Amino acid sequence: AVNLLGEQYRLAGFPEVEMQPCWAVMTVFDRPLEVAFDGAFVHHPELAWAARNASKPGRPAEEAWVLHATHGWSAGKLAEMPERVAEELVTVFLRLTRGQATPVFSRAHLWRYAAAQNPLKDGHLWDPERKFGLCGDWCHLSRVEGAFLSGAALVGRVLGLAGSEP
C-alpha cells in the first residue's frame, strides 16, 4: 500500500485504502465487429469492461475498443510486457464476441493504482485541525461518478466552514 499522507495520518485514525491495478488496452480492428453493444461489463476472469471508442462523441469512426482487465488478473500480470497483455486481452475479447476482425493496432497500459478495493464510506477525508481535505474516486465508489460525488462532498465541507472562522 502507498501512504501519500505520511505516518501522522495513519496514526490519527484515517483509514487505509488498498488500491488495485488494472491493465487497459486500446485496440483498433480492420473492420467493424458485429456486436449489439457499445459498452459492456464483462463477467470473465480476465476481462471486466469493453467499450467501443467510436460510440463516444467526437471520436474517430474507426473500429477501436478500450478493454479493461479484471483487478485480480491485472495483479497477477504486473511484470508482464504490455505487448503480451494486449495480445491476451484482445484474444479473449474476440473469443467472447465471436469477432472476425483482425487487430491492426493494440497498446496496453498498466494503471497500478486504478481502483480502491475498499473505498471510503464518507466520500472524502477531512482533518479539521489542519483544515486539510482529500477527495477522489478512491473515497467513493471507485468510479468517475464517485470522484465527482467525493469532490462535491468535500466542497460542501469547505463551504460550510467559510464565514464561520477568521
Side-chain angles (χ1 to χ4, degrees), residues 18 21 39 50 60 76 88 102 119 124 135:
E18 295 293 326
E88 286 185 47
T102 301
H124 65 281
C135 60

Side-chain angles (χ1 to χ4, degrees), residues 92-106:
V92 167
F93 177 67
L94 287 172
R95 187 175 61 241
L96 291 173
T97 60
R98 297 185 182 96
Q100 300 300 312
T102 301
V104 294
F105 170 85
S106 294

Side-chain angles (χ1 to χ4, degrees), residues 88-146:
E88 286 185 47
L89 285 180
V90 169
T91 299
V92 167
F93 177 67
L94 287 172
R95 187 175 61 241
L96 291 173
T97 60
R98 297 185 182 96
Q100 300 300 312
T102 301
V104 294
F105 170 85
S106 294
R107 179 161 295 155
H109 178 77
L110 175 63
W111 297 101
R112 188 172 294 274
Y113 306 107
Q117 181 175 337
N118 56 330
L120 302 178
K121 293 183 170 94
D122 294 335
H124 65 281
L125 292 177
W126 179 250
D127 182 337
E129 182 179 312
R130 294 178 179 90
K131 294 180 181 61
F132 176 77
L134 294 170
C135 60
D137 64 339
W138 59 276
C139 293
H140 190 71
L141 301 177
S142 252
R143 296 193 308 257
V144 69
E145 54 271 39

Side-chain angles (χ1 to χ4, degrees), residues 40-60:
F41 288 104
V42 182
H43 300 286
H44 186 271
E46 295 172 40
L47 187 62
W49 168 251
R52 187 186 315 252
N53 203 48
S55 68
K56 301 170 189 170
R59 303 294 170 98

